[in-house]
Amino acid sequence: MKVEAHRRKAERIGRSLAKCMPEDAELVIDGAMLAITHWINFTFHTLELTTPDDDIMHCYFVTGFDRQYYGLAADPLFLDALEEIDDLRPLYVRGNAAGSDAAGVRALELHEAVRDLALTLA
């Protein structure tokens, strides 16, 4: 996907997230994960760390070497945030663990941090 397409999608998802409430944790967590993924790809493509044909989807698909490289070349926050939000999904999106409101708030915090960093680096 082209760089600007990632940005447009991330911004659109972000606008939708702004309409959600903490009790919408399932939507917030999944939406934040998608937006974070687009911000990561926007940044990595802009910095030419990855090609438009090579998108990051989930942390568990990234090798240890690549994770270290991306962290040094861009910032470890990108993949750390993606990993954290990926870890929230089984408990609060596919599961029914207590504390989903707090998990939704955390997902929004992660999204904001990744978005701000992406816009700063790009």
Side-chain angles (χ1 to χ4, degrees):
M1 182 181 297
K2 303 273 188 208
V3 173
E4 284 307 311
H6 281 297
R7 182 178 181 154
R8 281 191 307 275
K9 286 185 180 235
E11 288 173 341
R12 184 173 180 206
I13 294 166
R15 287 190 300 274
S16 295
L17 286 172
K19 298 174 185 176
C20 294
M21 303 300 289
E23 57 268 19
D24 300 321
E26 291 179 55
L27 293 170
V28 169
I29 293 167
D30 261 357
M33 188 207 70
L34 290 170
I36 286 169
T37 302
H38 283 296
W39 283 122
I40 289 170
N41 287 307
F42 165 75
T43 305
F44 287 9
H45 296 343
T46 299
L47 298 175
E48 298 182 348
L49 301 177
T50 57
T51 66
D53 296 332
D54 187 24
D55 286 344
I56 303 291
M57 302 291 185
H58 296 281
C59 274
Y60 46 83
F61 294 142
V62 179
T63 67
F65 175 83
D66 284 343
R67 186 173 178 139
Q68 183 178 22
Y69 170 70
Y70 298 143
L72 291 170
D75 194 292
L77 172 68
F78 288 112
L79 295 180
D80 289 350
L82 184 58
E83 180 176 32
E84 185 175 342
I85 207 159
D86 255 341
D87 290 345
L88 293 175
R89 292 178 76 233
L91 297 170
Y92 304 106
V93 175
R94 294 187 296 269
N96 61 353
S100 62
D101 288 3
V105 169
R106 180 63 181 150
L108 292 173
E109 292 169 350
L110 292 168
H111 169 256
E112 184 177 329
V114 168
R115 181 200 62 219
D116 291 351
L117 181 59
L119 292 171
T120 298
L121 291 177

